[in-house]
Amino acid sequence: MKEGPDIARLAALIGDPARANILTALMSGKALTASELAFEAGVTAQTASSHLAKLADGGLVAMRKSGRHKYFTLANDAVAATLESLMGLAAGSGHLRTRTGPKDAAMRQARVCYNHLAGERGVQMYQAMQAKGFLRHSDDALELTELGVAFVSDLGINLAELPAGKAPLCRDCLDWSARQSHLAGKLGRALLSHFIQHGWAKRQENSRVITFTPKGAQQFDAQFSAPQHHP
Amino acid sequence: MKEGPDIARLAALIGDPARANILTALMSGKALTASELAFEAGVTAQTASSHLAKLADGGLVAMRKSGRHKYFTLANDAVAATLESLMGLAAGSGHLRTRTGPKDAAMRQARVCYNHLAGERGVQMYQAMQAKGFLRHSDDALELTELGVAFVSDLGINLAELPAGKAPLCRDCLDWSARQSHLAGKLGRALLSHFIQHGWAKRQENSRVITFTPKGAQQFDAQFSAPQHHP
DNA sequence: CACATGCTTCGCTCATGATCGAAGTATGAA
DNA sequence: TTCATACTTCGATCATGAGCGAAGCATGTG
């Protein structure tokens, strides 16, 4: 009678309304913080924390710490496939909807992530710097190459002036709107400061939104031309 | 935040141990009575009755009255596919329900997945049919090519005789033991029937295990030679 | 008919776990 | 440092529903 894997344990995990809401929100493919997921699920942060721990323990979601945030994603696409299968059953071959999008188009474009640039612009910068060989992953760390050192110096950033301390120079930061990494760390902070000091972009009051001036956007694109996909 | 199909309700339905046992038992494809299912689930008849009512109400099982008996089956193969998908996740996350008995090895080799062939043999067949160009993915659907039509006709299966209806001819079903797809749908069902009718394989009593005869295995391998991996 | 069998309904007990307030920890900002 | 934010842990409350005994239908058999 008891053949095969323990399906009940897993299904019960998905079967709680709050957890199902969390998983449904994560089906968008974006990485979301614990607070955002608490809001999505309609529960308090404490409750969501408990649920997220259970989901992680059950292997349904993966977690990544970033500063004081915790970003959650679905653990892998097998989980997503199973969820979609369940949605299909629940709706009778129904179709999936796209959950609550990011609040603001401007936020998606460019915003402050604590102290560095995030959003599409941030991702663009990160990818361009990798494509040009300025950034390199080694083990779990992100390094600025010699080429990269020259590049930021040319920009006018003095690496020696950056504050010393345990904080890493370069770091990945997961972007909530683009679901891709962008550049954090002391260098990320320095770059954003640079853009603002040189009038490329401005911070909006009472918001995380960053607005690029036309001229600034041009200069930004010149430095960080988006990687071309096949011709 | 309440959007899309109600996945929680459905998952909670599957998430009860007794109901999960019932559904797992029905994965054998056999129609079982309420009492038999009560025994499989390890609960009393009253409790099983309540569970079965809920499962039927939730559209997971179908019921047919016959005299003073009630025969239950899974509602359709979409349900079976979802359950198999859940088993795959559960097996992956390590929470196997212990007791890897002798039955387990046989189950991995070949078993019934509701009404079609699963396990290593099922995966072998699926991959061979893809490698030989009998099956092809298009968009999200799985199609039988013209070559494939000829192949199954040669086997002695009359596609025109298959029951009409909205059920798909070919469908992916994720194998929980092999973690790869095998063939479900009306064709998958027809193929398994064919193997059994022609004495290639036999179903074991009270189990999902399928045993191939030596001769049957030979014929099976001849038709579905496993794709060779280059050294 | 009486009687047995298969299943269902009722009513009750009881364990599980979802929830949130309050307090605690970690990290970043000023 | 002091404050703010993000998340976690603890403790207590409370609703849900699984489980079963007992009784009630329904449908067979002798």
Side-chain angles (χ1 to χ4, degrees), chain A residues 113-117 125 129 135 142-144 152 157-173 182-195 197:
Chain A
C113 183
Y114 312 130
N115 51 30
H116 55 269
L117 181 64
M125 181 173 81
M129 287 184 71
L135 292 175
L142 190 62
E143 287 179 347
L144 189 65
V152 297
I157 293 175
N158 190 346
L159 289 174
E161 281 179 3
L162 295 186
K166 62 185 171 111
L169 180 65
C170 302
R171 183 150 48 145
D172 284 316
C173 186
H182 57 244
L183 182 63
K186 287 185 292 191
L187 181 58
R189 176 186 215 143
L191 281 164
L192 177 57
S193 303
H194 183 268
F195 301 151
Q197 280 177 14

Short mmCIF file of all heavy atoms in Angstrom, two decimals, chain A residues 113-117 125 129 135 142-144 152 157-173 182-195 197, chain C residues 28-29:
data_model
loop_
_atom_site.label_atom_id
_atom_site.label_comp_id
_atom_site.label_asym_id
_atom_site.label_seq_id
_atom_site.Cartn_x
_atom_site.Cartn_y
_atom_site.Cartn_z
N CYS A 113 19.24 50.44 -5.13
CA CYS A 113 19.14 49.23 -4.34
C CYS A 113 20.09 49.44 -3.16
O CYS A 113 21.28 49.17 -3.27
CB CYS A 113 19.53 48.03 -5.19
SG CYS A 113 19.37 46.44 -4.39
N TYR A 114 19.56 49.97 -2.06
CA TYR A 114 20.37 50.38 -0.91
C TYR A 114 21.27 51.54 -1.32
O TYR A 114 21.03 52.68 -1.00
CB TYR A 114 21.23 49.25 -0.37
CG TYR A 114 20.48 48.00 -0.18
CD1 TYR A 114 20.95 46.81 -0.68
CD2 TYR A 114 19.28 48.01 0.48
CE1 TYR A 114 20.24 45.64 -0.52
CE2 TYR A 114 18.56 46.85 0.65
CZ TYR A 114 19.03 45.68 0.15
OH TYR A 114 18.33 44.54 0.29
N ASN A 115 22.31 51.21 -2.06
CA ASN A 115 23.25 52.26 -2.40
C ASN A 115 23.79 52.12 -3.81
O ASN A 115 24.69 52.83 -4.20
CB ASN A 115 24.43 52.25 -1.42
CG ASN A 115 25.02 50.86 -1.29
OD1 ASN A 115 24.97 50.08 -2.23
ND2 ASN A 115 25.57 50.57 -0.12
N HIS A 116 23.29 51.16 -4.51
CA HIS A 116 23.81 50.96 -5.87
C HIS A 116 22.67 50.91 -6.89
O HIS A 116 21.50 50.95 -6.51
CB HIS A 116 24.64 49.67 -5.92
CG HIS A 116 23.88 48.47 -5.46
ND1 HIS A 116 23.90 48.06 -4.14
CD2 HIS A 116 23.07 47.62 -6.12
CE1 HIS A 116 23.14 46.98 -4.03
NE2 HIS A 116 22.63 46.69 -5.20
N LEU A 117 23.05 50.82 -8.13
CA LEU A 117 22.08 50.91 -9.21
C LEU A 117 21.42 49.56 -9.48
O LEU A 117 22.11 48.55 -9.65
CB LEU A 117 22.78 51.41 -10.49
CG LEU A 117 21.90 51.58 -11.73
CD1 LEU A 117 20.85 52.65 -11.49
CD2 LEU A 117 22.76 51.93 -12.94
N MET A 125 24.39 47.30 -16.99
CA MET A 125 25.76 47.63 -16.61
C MET A 125 26.53 46.37 -16.20
O MET A 125 27.66 46.15 -16.64
CB MET A 125 25.75 48.63 -15.45
CG MET A 125 27.14 49.05 -14.99
SD MET A 125 27.09 50.37 -13.77
CE MET A 125 26.73 49.48 -12.29
N MET A 129 29.73 44.85 -18.23
CA MET A 129 31.04 44.77 -17.58
C MET A 129 31.57 43.34 -17.59
O MET A 129 32.79 43.12 -17.62
CB MET A 129 30.96 45.31 -16.14
CG MET A 129 30.81 46.82 -16.08
SD MET A 129 30.81 47.48 -14.41
CE MET A 129 32.54 47.23 -13.93
N LEU A 135 34.60 42.26 -15.15
CA LEU A 135 34.22 41.49 -13.97
C LEU A 135 34.41 40.01 -14.27
O LEU A 135 34.24 39.56 -15.40
CB LEU A 135 32.75 41.74 -13.60
CG LEU A 135 32.40 43.14 -13.08
CD1 LEU A 135 30.90 43.25 -12.89
CD2 LEU A 135 33.14 43.41 -11.78
N LEU A 142 33.12 37.75 -6.68
CA LEU A 142 33.13 38.51 -7.92
C LEU A 142 34.34 39.43 -7.88
O LEU A 142 34.55 40.16 -6.91
CB LEU A 142 31.83 39.33 -8.02
CG LEU A 142 31.55 40.01 -9.34
CD1 LEU A 142 31.40 38.98 -10.45
CD2 LEU A 142 30.28 40.84 -9.24
N GLU A 143 35.14 39.38 -8.94
CA GLU A 143 36.39 40.13 -8.93
C GLU A 143 36.42 41.17 -10.04
O GLU A 143 35.85 40.97 -11.11
CB GLU A 143 37.57 39.17 -9.16
CG GLU A 143 37.90 38.30 -7.98
CD GLU A 143 39.06 37.37 -8.30
OE1 GLU A 143 39.40 37.26 -9.50
OE2 GLU A 143 39.61 36.78 -7.37
N LEU A 144 37.11 42.25 -9.75
CA LEU A 144 37.38 43.25 -10.77
C LEU A 144 38.72 42.89 -11.42
O LEU A 144 39.75 42.80 -10.75
CB LEU A 144 37.45 44.64 -10.12
CG LEU A 144 37.52 45.85 -11.06
CD1 LEU A 144 36.24 45.98 -11.86
CD2 LEU A 144 37.80 47.12 -10.26
N VAL A 152 37.49 51.59 -14.64
CA VAL A 152 36.90 52.48 -13.63
C VAL A 152 37.82 53.66 -13.33
O VAL A 152 37.35 54.75 -13.00
CB VAL A 152 36.55 51.72 -12.34
CG1 VAL A 152 35.50 50.65 -12.61
CG2 VAL A 152 37.76 51.11 -11.70
N ILE A 157 37.11 57.13 -11.16
CA ILE A 157 36.89 56.62 -9.81
C ILE A 157 38.22 56.15 -9.25
O ILE A 157 38.92 55.34 -9.87
CB ILE A 157 35.88 55.45 -9.83
CG1 ILE A 157 34.50 55.98 -10.22
CG2 ILE A 157 35.84 54.76 -8.47
CD1 ILE A 157 33.47 54.90 -10.38
N ASN A 158 38.56 56.65 -8.10
CA ASN A 158 39.82 56.26 -7.47
C ASN A 158 39.57 55.14 -6.47
O ASN A 158 39.01 55.35 -5.39
CB ASN A 158 40.43 57.48 -6.77
CG ASN A 158 41.85 57.18 -6.30
OD1 ASN A 158 42.27 56.02 -6.27
ND2 ASN A 158 42.59 58.23 -5.96
N LEU A 159 39.99 53.96 -6.86
CA LEU A 159 39.71 52.79 -6.02
C LEU A 159 40.36 52.93 -4.65
O LEU A 159 39.84 52.44 -3.65
CB LEU A 159 40.20 51.52 -6.70
CG LEU A 159 39.39 51.08 -7.92
CD1 LEU A 159 40.03 49.89 -8.61
CD2 LEU A 159 37.97 50.73 -7.49
N ALA A 160 41.48 53.61 -4.58
CA ALA A 160 42.19 53.74 -3.30
C ALA A 160 41.40 54.60 -2.32
O ALA A 160 41.58 54.49 -1.11
CB ALA A 160 43.57 54.35 -3.54
N GLU A 161 40.51 55.42 -2.86
CA GLU A 161 39.74 56.30 -1.98
C GLU A 161 38.54 55.60 -1.35
O GLU A 161 37.91 56.14 -0.44
CB GLU A 161 39.24 57.52 -2.76
CG GLU A 161 40.31 58.59 -2.96
CD GLU A 161 39.75 59.76 -3.77
OE1 GLU A 161 38.55 59.72 -4.11
OE2 GLU A 161 40.53 60.68 -4.07
N LEU A 162 38.20 54.44 -1.89
CA LEU A 162 37.03 53.74 -1.34
C LEU A 162 37.31 53.33 0.09
O LEU A 162 38.43 52.99 0.45
CB LEU A 162 36.72 52.50 -2.19
CG LEU A 162 36.29 52.80 -3.63
CD1 LEU A 162 35.88 51.52 -4.33
CD2 LEU A 162 35.17 53.80 -3.66
N PRO A 163 36.29 53.39 0.93
CA PRO A 163 36.48 53.07 2.34
C PRO A 163 37.00 51.64 2.53
O PRO A 163 36.54 50.72 1.85
CB PRO A 163 35.07 53.21 2.94
CG PRO A 163 34.15 53.14 1.78
CD PRO A 163 34.90 53.71 0.62
N ALA A 164 37.94 51.51 3.42
CA ALA A 164 38.41 50.16 3.73
C ALA A 164 37.34 49.45 4.55
O ALA A 164 36.35 50.04 4.95
CB ALA A 164 39.73 50.23 4.50
N GLY A 165 37.56 48.20 4.81
CA GLY A 165 36.60 47.47 5.62
C GLY A 165 36.30 46.12 5.03
O GLY A 165 36.78 45.77 3.96
N LYS A 166 35.49 45.40 5.74
CA LYS A 166 35.23 44.02 5.35
C LYS A 166 34.30 43.92 4.14
O LYS A 166 34.20 42.89 3.51
CB LYS A 166 34.63 43.25 6.53
CG LYS A 166 33.29 43.82 6.97
CD LYS A 166 32.79 43.12 8.22
CE LYS A 166 31.57 43.81 8.80
NZ LYS A 166 30.33 43.06 8.68
N ALA A 167 33.58 45.00 3.86
CA ALA A 167 32.65 44.96 2.74
C ALA A 167 33.40 44.66 1.45
O ALA A 167 34.44 45.24 1.18
CB ALA A 167 31.91 46.29 2.63
N PRO A 168 32.86 43.76 0.63
CA PRO A 168 33.55 43.40 -0.61
C PRO A 168 33.48 44.53 -1.63
O PRO A 168 32.54 45.34 -1.61
CB PRO A 168 32.77 42.18 -1.10
CG PRO A 168 31.41 42.34 -0.52
CD PRO A 168 31.60 43.01 0.80
N LEU A 169 34.46 44.55 -2.50
CA LEU A 169 34.49 45.55 -3.55
C LEU A 169 33.39 45.32 -4.56
O LEU A 169 32.67 46.24 -4.95
CB LEU A 169 35.86 45.52 -4.24
CG LEU A 169 36.04 46.52 -5.38
CD1 LEU A 169 36.00 47.94 -4.85
CD2 LEU A 169 37.36 46.27 -6.11
N CYS A 170 33.27 44.06 -4.97
CA CYS A 170 32.25 43.70 -5.95
C CYS A 170 31.36 42.61 -5.37
O CYS A 170 31.84 41.71 -4.69
CB CYS A 170 32.88 43.18 -7.24
SG CYS A 170 34.00 44.33 -8.01
N ARG A 171 30.12 42.73 -5.69
CA ARG A 171 29.21 41.70 -5.20
C ARG A 171 28.02 41.58 -6.14
O ARG A 171 27.57 42.56 -6.72
CB ARG A 171 28.71 42.06 -3.81
CG ARG A 171 27.82 40.99 -3.25
CD ARG A 171 27.86 40.88 -1.77
NE ARG A 171 27.73 42.15 -1.10
CZ ARG A 171 27.09 42.27 0.05
NH1 ARG A 171 26.52 41.23 0.57
NH2 ARG A 171 27.04 43.41 0.66
N ASP A 172 27.50 40.37 -6.25
CA ASP A 172 26.25 40.16 -6.98
C ASP A 172 25.10 40.65 -6.13
O ASP A 172 25.08 40.48 -4.92
CB ASP A 172 26.04 38.66 -7.23
CG ASP A 172 26.92 38.16 -8.35
OD1 ASP A 172 26.99 38.85 -9.36
OD2 ASP A 172 27.50 37.09 -8.18
N CYS A 173 24.13 41.20 -6.79
CA CYS A 173 22.89 41.52 -6.09
C CYS A 173 21.75 41.13 -7.01
O CYS A 173 21.75 41.49 -8.19
CB CYS A 173 22.84 43.02 -5.76
SG CYS A 173 21.42 43.48 -4.76
N HIS A 182 22.84 42.22 -10.60
CA HIS A 182 23.48 43.50 -10.92
C HIS A 182 24.60 43.71 -9.91
O HIS A 182 24.80 42.90 -9.00
CB HIS A 182 22.46 44.64 -10.92
CG HIS A 182 21.72 44.80 -9.63
ND1 HIS A 182 20.36 44.62 -9.52
CD2 HIS A 182 22.15 45.07 -8.39
CE1 HIS A 182 19.99 44.81 -8.27
NE2 HIS A 182 21.07 45.09 -7.56
N LEU A 183 25.32 44.79 -10.10
CA LEU A 183 26.53 44.97 -9.32
C LEU A 183 26.29 45.71 -8.01
O LEU A 183 25.79 46.83 -8.00
CB LEU A 183 27.57 45.74 -10.16
CG LEU A 183 28.92 45.95 -9.47
CD1 LEU A 183 29.60 44.61 -9.20
CD2 LEU A 183 29.81 46.84 -10.31
N ALA A 184 26.68 45.08 -6.93
CA ALA A 184 26.61 45.71 -5.62
C ALA A 184 28.04 45.84 -5.08
O ALA A 184 29.00 45.75 -5.83
CB ALA A 184 25.74 44.90 -4.68
N GLY A 185 28.15 46.04 -3.80
CA GLY A 185 29.48 46.17 -3.21
C GLY A 185 29.95 47.62 -3.28
O GLY A 185 29.25 48.51 -3.76
N LYS A 186 31.14 47.83 -2.78
CA LYS A 186 31.65 49.20 -2.71
C LYS A 186 31.80 49.82 -4.09
O LYS A 186 31.58 51.02 -4.26
CB LYS A 186 33.02 49.20 -1.98
CG LYS A 186 32.88 48.98 -0.49
CD LYS A 186 34.19 49.10 0.24
CE LYS A 186 35.14 48.00 -0.11
NZ LYS A 186 36.32 47.95 0.80
N LEU A 187 32.12 48.98 -5.06
CA LEU A 187 32.25 49.52 -6.42
C LEU A 187 30.89 49.90 -6.98
O LEU A 187 30.76 50.95 -7.63
CB LEU A 187 32.92 48.48 -7.32
CG LEU A 187 33.13 48.93 -8.77
CD1 LEU A 187 33.97 50.19 -8.84
CD2 LEU A 187 33.76 47.82 -9.61
N GLY A 188 29.91 49.09 -6.72
CA GLY A 188 28.56 49.41 -7.16
C GLY A 188 28.10 50.74 -6.59
O GLY A 188 27.50 51.56 -7.28
N ARG A 189 28.40 50.92 -5.34
CA ARG A 189 28.06 52.17 -4.68
C ARG A 189 28.80 53.35 -5.31
O ARG A 189 28.21 54.41 -5.58
CB ARG A 189 28.43 52.04 -3.21
CG ARG A 189 28.23 53.28 -2.40
CD ARG A 189 28.78 53.05 -0.99
NE ARG A 189 27.99 53.72 0.00
CZ ARG A 189 27.72 53.23 1.20
NH1 ARG A 189 28.16 52.03 1.53
NH2 ARG A 189 27.00 53.91 2.05
N ALA A 190 30.09 53.13 -5.55
CA ALA A 190 30.90 54.21 -6.12
C ALA A 190 30.41 54.58 -7.51
O ALA A 190 30.37 55.78 -7.87
CB ALA A 190 32.36 53.77 -6.18
N LEU A 191 30.03 53.59 -8.29
CA LEU A 191 29.57 53.87 -9.64
C LEU A 191 28.29 54.70 -9.63
O LEU A 191 28.16 55.68 -10.38
CB LEU A 191 29.35 52.56 -10.40
CG LEU A 191 30.64 51.92 -10.92
CD1 LEU A 191 30.42 50.46 -11.32
CD2 LEU A 191 31.17 52.71 -12.12
N LEU A 192 27.36 54.32 -8.77
CA LEU A 192 26.11 55.09 -8.70
C LEU A 192 26.40 56.53 -8.27
O LEU A 192 25.87 57.49 -8.86
CB LEU A 192 25.12 54.43 -7.74
CG LEU A 192 23.82 55.21 -7.55
CD1 LEU A 192 23.12 55.41 -8.89
CD2 LEU A 192 22.90 54.49 -6.58
N SER A 193 27.25 56.67 -7.25
CA SER A 193 27.61 58.03 -6.82
C SER A 193 28.18 58.81 -8.00
O SER A 193 27.85 59.98 -8.20
CB SER A 193 28.68 57.96 -5.72
OG SER A 193 28.22 57.20 -4.65
N HIS A 194 29.02 58.13 -8.75
CA HIS A 194 29.65 58.79 -9.89
C HIS A 194 28.62 59.29 -10.89
O HIS A 194 28.68 60.43 -11.35
CB HIS A 194 30.60 57.79 -10.57
CG HIS A 194 31.36 58.37 -11.71
ND1 HIS A 194 30.91 58.31 -13.01
CD2 HIS A 194 32.55 59.03 -11.77
CE1 HIS A 194 31.78 58.90 -13.81
NE2 HIS A 194 32.79 59.35 -13.08
N PHE A 195 27.65 58.43 -11.20
CA PHE A 195 26.62 58.83 -12.17
C PHE A 195 25.86 60.05 -11.69
O PHE A 195 25.56 60.96 -12.46
CB PHE A 195 25.64 57.68 -12.40
CG PHE A 195 26.27 56.43 -12.90
CD1 PHE A 195 25.71 55.18 -12.62
CD2 PHE A 195 27.43 56.46 -13.66
CE1 PHE A 195 26.30 54.03 -13.08
CE2 PHE A 195 28.03 55.30 -14.11
CZ PHE A 195 27.46 54.07 -13.83
N GLN A 197 26.88 62.28 -9.30
CA GLN A 197 27.75 63.45 -9.19
C GLN A 197 28.01 64.09 -10.54
O GLN A 197 28.19 65.31 -10.63
CB GLN A 197 29.08 63.06 -8.55
CG GLN A 197 29.01 62.92 -7.03
CD GLN A 197 30.32 62.46 -6.45
OE1 GLN A 197 31.35 62.49 -7.12
NE2 GLN A 197 30.28 62.03 -5.20
P DG C 28 24.92 44.84 5.57
OP1 DG C 28 25.14 44.39 4.18
OP2 DG C 28 26.05 44.95 6.52
"O5'" DG C 28 24.15 46.22 5.54
"C5'" DG C 28 22.86 46.29 4.94
"C4'" DG C 28 22.25 47.65 5.17
"O4'" DG C 28 21.93 47.80 6.58
"C3'" DG C 28 23.16 48.83 4.81
"O3'" DG C 28 22.41 49.79 4.09
"C2'" DG C 28 23.61 49.36 6.17
"C1'" DG C 28 22.39 49.05 7.04
N9 DG C 28 22.69 48.91 8.45
C8 DG C 28 23.61 48.08 9.04
N7 DG C 28 23.65 48.19 10.35
C5 DG C 28 22.70 49.16 10.64
C6 DG C 28 22.30 49.70 11.88
O6 DG C 28 22.71 49.41 13.00
N1 DG C 28 21.30 50.66 11.70
C2 DG C 28 20.77 51.05 10.50
N2 DG C 28 19.83 51.99 10.54
N3 DG C 28 21.13 50.55 9.34
C4 DG C 28 22.10 49.62 9.48
P DA C 29 23.00 51.13 3.70
OP1 DA C 29 22.42 51.44 2.38
OP2 DA C 29 24.46 51.11 3.87
"O5'" DA C 29 22.37 52.11 4.77
"C5'" DA C 29 20.96 52.33 4.76
"C4'" DA C 29 20.62 53.55 5.60
"O4'" DA C 29 20.93 53.28 6.99
"C3'" DA C 29 21.41 54.82 5.23
"O3'" DA C 29 20.56 55.95 5.36
"C2'" DA C 29 22.54 54.83 6.24
"C1'" DA C 29 21.88 54.22 7.47
N9 DA C 29 22.79 53.47 8.33
C8 DA C 29 23.74 52.55 7.95
N7 DA C 29 24.41 52.03 8.94
C5 DA C 29 23.86 52.64 10.07
C6 DA C 29 24.13 52.51 11.43
N6 DA C 29 25.06 51.69 11.93
N1 DA C 29 23.40 53.27 12.29
C2 DA C 29 22.46 54.08 11.79
N3 DA C 29 22.11 54.28 10.52
C4 DA C 29 22.85 53.53 9.70
#
